[in-house]
Amino acid sequence: MAAGLRLLIPEEKIQARIRELGRQIAQDYPEGVLYLVGILKGAWIFLADLARAIERPVRIDFIGISSYGTGKSTSGEVKLTKDLDCSIEGEDVLIVEDIVDSGVTLSYLLHVLAQRKPRSLRVAALLDKPSRRTAAVDLAYVGFQIPDAFVVGYGLDYAEQYRNLRDVYALEEPS
Ligand code: 5GP
């Protein structure tokens, strides 16, 4: 693999954990359609795999949020770049997020979506960096807790690169 990338979570571990999460999610929800909302762009691959691991009817939608630009740390400013296509009023909604870092993006999104009166609103995050949290958010489903490293692959980018890697890697600064 290219210099500067250190393997953190291999593909097989990611896929095994997603199968567990899918089973858990399918059990936890009552009858009816589960509305999966993927956060663009980083969560697209996780959403595709998670949706197929949940053996029950689901609907898929995407919401676009930007807070990072092309750098490695949050600007603290969150903006909606693409809204949902459909109403979520009265629906069971599960937000599907790639990684939770400060929690700022997610707490903004939870606030926006709660105002639309879904029946339930929870979060599934593939990766969680708890040591970096500044905004408290409740994560119902977490794939892996990771240390404070900037990670790429499996949908996650650095300056729009690396999204198509099958594993998750820590991006290391050149020494
Ligand atoms: P937060 O608002 O929780 O600080 O940041 C959440 C968003 O920042 C994630 O959805 C993701 O887009 C981006 N982000 C946070 N940490 C990382 C990371 O380690 N790697 C990448 N590629 N993006 C990250």
Side-chain angles (χ1 to χ4, degrees):
M1 193 40 62
L5 298 185
R6 179 170 52 84
L7 181 62
L8 203 63
I9 314 173
E11 180 182 11
E12 312 77 64
K13 265 183 91 175
I14 298 172
Q15 294 303 331
R17 183 71 184 120
I18 289 175
R19 283 193 293 276
E20 286 175 3
L21 290 176
R23 274 196 295 274
Q24 185 67 53
I25 291 167
Q27 270 176 27
D28 287 355
Y29 281 89
E31 291 281 297
V33 175
L34 176 60
Y35 200 118
L36 300 178
V37 171
I39 306 185
L40 293 172
K41 296 177 198 172
W44 62 292
I45 295 182
F46 178 41
L47 176 63
D49 286 340
L50 185 66
R52 288 177 291 179
I54 300 173
E55 292 188 359
R56 55 174 300 139
V58 296
R59 283 173 67 182
I60 310 281
D61 205 344
F62 289 96
I63 197 159
I65 295 271
S66 110
S67 64
Y68 266 51
T70 55
K72 283 205 281 182
S73 61
T74 185
S75 60
E77 190 187 312
V78 185
K79 69 177 191 232
L80 206 66
T81 55
K82 183 213 168 288
D83 205 343
L84 296 174
D85 293 332
C86 301
S87 163
I88 53 167
E89 191 170 339
E91 306 282 356
D92 285 313
V93 175
L94 182 62
I95 297 175
V96 179
E97 173 63 308
D98 51 3
I99 184 164
V100 185
D101 188 26
S102 68
V104 169
T105 307
L106 208 49
S107 52
Y108 167 80
L109 190 61
L110 284 165
H111 173 73
V112 169
L113 296 187
Q115 289 172 338
R116 301 182 188 182
K117 303 189 170 51
R119 180 159 76 165
S120 67
L121 183 60
R122 290 186 190 161
V123 179
L126 179 69
L127 305 172
D128 178 20
K129 282 196 260 187
S131 62
R132 300 254 310 168
R133 199 76 86 253
T134 57
V137 279
D138 183 20
L139 306 178
Y141 306 98
V142 171
F144 303 91
Q145 288 199 338
I146 61 167
D148 179 14
F150 190 84
V151 296
V152 296
Y154 197 72
L156 288 148
D157 76 311
Y158 174 57
E160 292 302 326
Q161 279 190 74
Y162 310 117
R163 291 194 195 275
N164 60 335
L165 301 180
R166 290 170 174 270
D167 320 274
V168 170
Y169 296 84
L171 186 69
E172 307 207 307
E173 303 285 344
S175 48

